[in-house]
Amino acid sequence: MRKFLIILLVAILVFHFFALKYNWYHTVWWLDIPMHMIGGIWLGVLFYYLFAEKLSWISKAHPLFFLLAGLGFVILIGVFWEWLDFFLDVIVFKSYPYNAEPGYILFDTHTDFFNDLLGGAIALLGLIKFKK
């Protein structure tokens, strides 16, 4: 599983690099959706690897607890990612002004959270089912 996590992370980072370099996130409106879902999947698998494989007590916990704890992990990292995204887009690179499109930043952030959680739920539910 460790090898899978490393390969997927490298693939995500390489694709993200090119998406930033060629401005794909602004020209391909839907690209943000699968990227956040794949990121959520990666975080769900990372949670499983860190906590279920390394800490055996959590793998014996009720599946609902495992799912909720995993989704909490996914959303926590998602919040930090969105803070970084906001800081870089608005403060550092000034890709768009803070008040250019009222509600856009909030809408984008919420859809990113939803897609993070959806990807995390897919990974965690798959791992819970596979674990049985």
Side-chain angles (χ1 to χ4, degrees):
M1 185 171 294
R2 182 178 177 184
K3 192 176 196 179
F4 171 77
L5 282 166
I6 292 169
I7 290 170
L8 185 56
L9 179 62
V10 169
I12 290 169
L13 292 175
V14 166
F15 191 84
H16 183 63
F17 170 79
F18 284 107
L20 290 174
K21 180 176 173 133
Y22 295 110
N23 207 26
W24 292 344
Y25 290 122
H26 295 282
T27 58
V28 183
W29 69 267
W30 52 265
L31 185 61
D32 199 35
I33 296 168
M35 287 300 289
H36 275 276
M37 287 179 68
I38 293 168
I41 289 170
W42 186 83
L43 288 169
V45 174
L46 179 66
F47 176 82
Y48 183 85
Y49 174 74
L50 292 175
F51 296 103
E53 286 193 1
K54 300 296 182 189
L55 300 173
S56 61
W57 67 269
I58 200 166
S59 63
K60 297 173 187 164
H62 191 276
L64 183 59
F65 172 78
F66 180 79
L67 176 66
L68 292 176
L71 290 177
F73 178 79
V74 169
I75 201 67
L76 177 67
I77 304 302
V79 166
F80 286 118
W81 181 263
E82 288 303 312
W83 283 347
L84 176 67
D85 189 34
F86 175 82
F87 178 74
L88 292 176
D89 283 349
V90 176
I91 310 287
V92 175
F93 297 116
K94 299 185 187 321
S95 299
Y96 49 88
Y98 178 70
N99 60 354
E101 298 176 52
Y104 172 77
I105 295 171
L106 184 61
F107 176 77
D108 179 61
T109 300
H110 282 92
T111 55
D112 291 348
F113 287 151
F114 175 78
N115 291 315
D116 291 340
L117 286 173
L118 184 60
I122 289 169
L124 291 165
L125 290 170
L127 288 166
I128 288 170
K129 184 146 181 101
F130 178 75
K131 183 175 78 166
K132 289 182 180 180

